[in-house]
Structure formats: structure tokens, C-alpha cells
Amino acid sequence: MKKIITLATLGLLAAAVPMSAQTVYDAAKITNKDLNGTARFVGMGGAMGALGGDISTIGTNPAGIGIYRSNDAMVSFGLSAYGTESNYMGYKMNSDKTRASFDNVGFVLSSKIGNATALRYVNFGFNYHKAKSFYKNMSMSGNLGDYTQTDYMAAQAGGIKDWSGDIYTDPEVEWLSALGYDSYLITDLIAHDGQGSVPSGYVPYIVNGTQVKNLDGNLVYRTPEEYGGMFWGGNGNFRSEERGGIDQYDFNISFNINDRVYLGMTIGAYAIDYSKYTFYDEDYGNGQGYNLQSWNKIHGSGFDVKFGAIVRPFEYSPLRIGLAIHTPTYYNLDYKTNARLESDVLNDLDITNESGIGSGVIGQYNVDTYDIMKGDMVRQFRLQTPWTYNVSLGYTIGTALALGAEYEYQDYSSMKFKDQEGYSETFEYENSTTPMMKGVSTIRLGAEYKVIPQFALRAGYNYTSAIFNNDAYKDLPYNSIQTDTDFANTKALSNYTLGIGYRGSMFYADLAYKFSSYKEDFHPFINAYMDGDQLVIGSPEATKVKNTRSQVLLTLGLRF
């Protein structure tokens, strides 16, 4: 063992609170949505909030359904190619996968009220679409330099006096530290070379009335409540697989008033199915090292309400102005996890210690929480996402050209974790970390040009700013059951879209292509220490990751 970590766990809170199971990185992943829907909507970059007349506007500006003057039924299918390229200090790794998907189905029922009344149409709509795909593979590998995940385990163990009892259900023990302790990756034992006085706080390590020595003949001491990790300079190897998605179900009612004012309301229901597998390995050479595997799942449901309006302010002008506001999505979620750690650790004591492992022998230890807990550990929580504010413009030139522009804003730092009774105080620490996120702006631009009345060409661009501050990091609270310490600070996202469409008397077909690209700085873990009164956060050099997704969407529909 290498040294003692003097920093108590960063997320230390008052005792006797429920074990924690989520971070702001989980919240951001759930809140962030993909550009998806009908092929026409995607082909125009999603910039249809003021133009309306497409079923996918049900989820951005509900008033867009009020433009309809006939019934509509449609279905969409997709094919996506996902790519991830990671670069850790010049060592590159790639992952590419292709998969098909069922993306969208919906209908609009349009009811004409009359031409003489102010209220011209009342329309009803339903739409299902895949709001988010979590599909992603990620890998990195290389020398960790002056960092090791075991130092993080040791920091999480800071302040623990007694490891007896059922530590995996103890709300004062973080799972990562418990796995490290049980597999001998962290310890409160340290040898003193006999030079100078014994530092304050060192307690002789006595077995059978004799103070233990290490193989070098140095006396071994305990450092109560302070723990050390393994070696610096090891080689790290990480890979992860994320799967699942968010299904969105929208129910809409909208109104056409004098063909100049359109109002709408959408009630949205959400179903989350997210899973993540991580494998992390550190190899120190000479037969020593360990690997940690984590299996995490988030399941649950949520709802929100969206309000929208489209106004044509000038009677003889095609200009339209759209406004929309979305309430937070209120999620009720289950977090399920289990982890397995396998270690090979050299015992350098010169007599047999309590574990029964003799001098100079590499011991092999396996700790599996699924066996210990007889299944997954499950924790329930609620998540309140930010409010969404949307303003849009639409303009048509004759019947041939339609232009759309949209701006949307969400303040991610306003998200809240709550317990099952709706109290946020239970997650005081988690909520204190939300300022690591910031306000996110989304800009959507799109155009449609009809070459002939039946055939249209489309193009769009979609930009979303970064969610996290540059200095954001993932810090597990002291009572967390999470064991995946990796995190990635995503940069801005860009979507480039193209599309074509055919409109017959009843049947229509649209095809769209979307290319998405964003970068992120990936870290497998952090290490932290106090420099005087200053908290210093460090980690291995960031792995530079580029994520891409190419998607082809086909929409088939009938208007009648």
C-alpha cells in the first residue's frame, strides 16, 4: 500500500439519511432530448414552432396542431449509425454500431366549427416519439500517471471507524469504499521507516501481542479513520455500454381563432428505460491489480404540460410568431445497481495477519454485491427538470418557400432531486451540485422549398450549447450506492439535416437525413485533496471524445 489519504469524503453529510443513488450527470442525461420526430420536422431542423402544421410540433409548440384543417395519421421509422472516437494521450479507440428503430406514430383529428364564428377549428392530436436514445459504447486505455481510483475509494472511506456489521446497507458507508476495503485495495495500515519520531495519530498494529513489521522490517501502524489506496503509475482500462431511451407520449388540444391566433395545450407522458454497464481495470504490474464492474438501471415515468400560441400579427402578412412554455417534467424513478470487484493484492507483512494471508503472497479477492444483497440494490427518487421557454418565427413566400427559426432556453442548474414525499432536503448534497450545470440555449433553423406543389426539398440546422461548466466533476456523496465513478463534460451539440418530401391528394411520404456531432471531456474518476484551506480536484488527463450519429428517417402518412 502506498500512502494515506487525509481528505475526508467530499460529500460528507449528517448521518441517518437514505443512501444516495444519483448525480447531476444522471439528471442531465434524462433531461436532454434528441432532435427526432417526423421526417419533415427533422429535415427542417425542428424549426417549425411558428409554422405549425406538422404533428411533431405537438412537443415544441402545442399551438402548431391548430394549423391543421384536415385529419392526419402517420408513422416513422429510422436507421441510425452511432460512432464514438476516444483519444487518451494519443491512444485512440473507436466504436461504431448501426441499429434500426421505430421512432414516431401519431394522428390529428380536425373539427371545423364554422366560418362565421371566431373559433374556426378545434383539433385533437396524439403523438408518440422516441425522445432520447441512450445507445452508446465508450472505451479508453492508458497510463494513469499520478492518479488511481483507489485513492477515491480511500477518500470515500475517510472517517469510518468500524467496518463491522452489514456495511452495504449502512447509510454512513459508500459502496465504493466498502468494495475497496473488502478487496484490500484500501487500508489504514502504514509502515514507518524508523527515521525520526512517529507521526501523531499513528497507532501500533498489534497481532498476538507483537507489533507487525513489513517485509522491509519497518514497523506497521494504523491511522484510524484515514485510509490509503494502491499505487500510482498504473495502467487504466475503461469501457462502458449504455442502452435504452425515453419514450414520449403527447396528448394535445388546439384552437384556431379567426385563422390568425392559434392556441394549444399538450400533456406529455414519459417512460424511461436506461441501463449502463461499466468495466474499469487498473494494472500495476507484478501480478497486482483489480477490475470493477457496475450494472446500473434507471426506470420510471414522468409528466409535463406544455402551452403554446401562434399569432399572425398582420392580416395580409404571412409572418407568424410562436411562443411556448413547458412546465418541468416531474419524474418518479427507480435506480437499481449491483457491482463486482475482483482484486489481486500483495500482502507485504512479515507475519500472518487477520486475513490469514502469509507474507509476500498475492491474495485474490472477489466481492459481489448481487450475492451479498441477494439481488440489485434499489433506491427511489424524484427528479424535477427545468422549465422550458420557446420563441419562434415563421415566414412563407407564396406557396413555394417556408422559413422557420426558433430559440429555446432551459436552466439546468434549477433541477431538483426529491424524495418520494416530495422533499428536496433529503437530497441536500445532490441539489448543492446542480450549479455545476448552466443555462442551455437551443437554436433551430429550417427551410422548405417546393420545387412543384407535390415535391419539396428541406434543410435545417440545430445547435444546443454545453450543459456543464468546464470545471464540473462527478463527486459521489459519502452514502452513495453508485460505483461507476466515470463522467463526461459534454460540449455543444450540432445537428445538420436534409430532407425531401412528396405530397399527393391523400398520401404523403418524407425522407430525412440527420448528422449529429458533439465532443466531450471524459474522466474515469477524480482524486481530491486539501491544500491548506483549498480543495483541489484532480484526475487523469481528459480523454477527448467525439460522438457522431447519422440517422435516416422515413415517414409515411395520410391526410383526409
Side-chain angles (χ1 to χ4, degrees), residues 178-399:
L179 288 168
Y181 185 83
D182 278 350
S183 58
Y184 295 90
L185 296 176
I186 64 174
T187 182
D188 60 353
L189 301 179
I190 190 169
H192 186 261
D193 60 11
Q195 302 297 316
S197 59
V198 176
S200 175
Y202 280 30
V203 177
Y205 176 39
I206 307 296
V207 175
N208 298 325
T210 302
Q211 185 172 0
V212 175
K213 296 180 179 179
N214 66 7
L215 294 178
D216 295 327
N218 298 322
L219 292 173
V220 177
Y221 294 81
R222 287 194 181 277
T223 54
E225 303 180 41
E226 294 183 348
Y227 298 85
M230 293 293 287
F231 304 103
W232 288 341
N235 289 314
N237 179 46
F238 173 89
R239 70 174 186 270
S240 66
E241 298 177 358
E242 296 177 79
R243 298 292 185 268
I246 300 178
D247 295 325
Q248 181 172 338
Y249 304 85
D250 284 330
F251 303 84
N252 173 273
I253 183 171
S254 54
F255 307 91
N256 175 339
I257 302 172
N258 285 326
D259 291 326
R260 291 187 60 185
V261 177
Y262 307 88
L263 303 175
M265 181 183 75
T266 296
I267 297 176
Y270 301 83
I272 292 181
D273 176 19
Y274 171 70
S275 64
K276 178 184 178 185
Y277 166 77
T278 63
F279 175 93
Y280 179 74
D281 174 272
E282 285 190 16
D283 185 357
Y284 308 114
N286 299 319
Q288 294 197 81
Y290 73 95
N291 70 75
L292 171 62
Q293 299 177 80
S294 300
W295 293 266
N296 304 313
K297 298 178 183 178
I298 297 178
H299 296 280
S301 60
F303 73 92
D304 69 0
V305 182
K306 309 173 186 74
F307 302 94
I310 298 174
V311 178
R312 189 161 57 85
F314 309 110
E315 184 175 359
Y316 299 105
S317 172
L319 175 68
R320 296 174 185 173
I321 300 173
L323 298 170
I325 183 171
H326 306 176
T327 70
T329 304
Y330 300 94
Y331 282 111
N332 195 349
L333 302 169
D334 289 343
Y335 180 91
K336 300 179 181 180
T337 188
N338 69 83
R340 178 178 176 83
L341 195 152
E342 301 171 343
S343 67
D344 298 288
V345 180
L346 175 69
N347 172 33
D348 62 356
L349 305 182
D350 68 356
I351 66 171
T352 300
N353 64 12
E354 295 102 319
S355 68
I357 303 299
S359 303
V361 175
I362 292 181
Q364 297 180 337
Y365 308 95
N366 297 328
V367 185
D368 195 325
T369 66
Y370 194 89
D371 293 338
I372 295 171
M373 303 302 301
K374 309 302 181 185
D376 291 325
M377 175 69 93
V378 181
R379 285 293 177 265
Q380 296 179 325
F381 68 101
R382 294 182 180 180
L383 175 66
Q384 178 181 314
T385 71
W387 287 81
T388 301
Y389 307 94
N390 181 292
V391 60
S392 56
L393 296 173
Y395 194 82
T396 57
I397 300 176
T399 60

Side-chain angles (χ1 to χ4, degrees), residues 65-116:
I65 304 301
I67 304 293
Y68 275 85
R69 294 170 179 260
S70 61
N71 301 322
D72 188 9
M74 46 68 57
V75 63
S76 300
F77 306 92
L79 180 67
S80 295
Y82 298 84
T84 301
E85 179 186 271
S86 64
N87 185 340
Y88 180 62
M89 297 192 300
Y91 182 69
K92 295 183 179 181
M93 303 181 75
N94 291 277
S95 175
D96 299 291
K97 296 291 183 181
T98 301
R99 64 190 301 267
S101 58
F102 175 68
D103 289 83
N104 194 208
V105 64
F107 62 85
V108 173
L109 300 177
S110 181
S111 301
K112 185 174 182 179
I113 304 302
N115 294 321

Side-chain angles (χ1 to χ4, degrees), residues 2-134:
K2 181 187 61 193
K3 62 187 180 67
I4 293 295
I5 302 298
T6 58
L7 174 65
T9 185
L10 302 179
L12 191 60
L13 301 174
V17 297
M19 299 183 80
S20 174
Q22 63 287 309
T23 69
V24 292
Y25 288 89
D26 301 308
K29 192 179 296 290
I30 291 171
T31 301
N32 190 26
K33 304 289 178 59
D34 296 334
L35 171 61
N36 203 8
T38 68
R40 183 183 180 219
F41 180 82
V42 172
M44 293 187 67
M48 300 190 67
L51 292 171
D54 188 278
I55 199 166
S56 288
T57 62
I58 199 171
T60 55
N61 186 345
I65 304 301
I67 304 293
Y68 275 85
R69 294 170 179 260
S70 61
N71 301 322
D72 188 9
M74 46 68 57
V75 63
S76 300
F77 306 92
L79 180 67
S80 295
Y82 298 84
T84 301
E85 179 186 271
S86 64
N87 185 340
Y88 180 62
M89 297 192 300
Y91 182 69
K92 295 183 179 181
M93 303 181 75
N94 291 277
S95 175
D96 299 291
K97 296 291 183 181
T98 301
R99 64 190 301 267
S101 58
F102 175 68
D103 289 83
N104 194 208
V105 64
F107 62 85
V108 173
L109 300 177
S110 181
S111 301
K112 185 174 182 179
I113 304 302
N115 294 321
T117 62
L119 182 61
R120 302 293 171 82
Y121 284 85
V122 176
N123 297 336
F124 300 90
F126 165 78
N127 189 47
Y128 157 81
H129 81 281
K130 181 70 72 175
K132 177 75 174 181
S133 172
F134 294 121

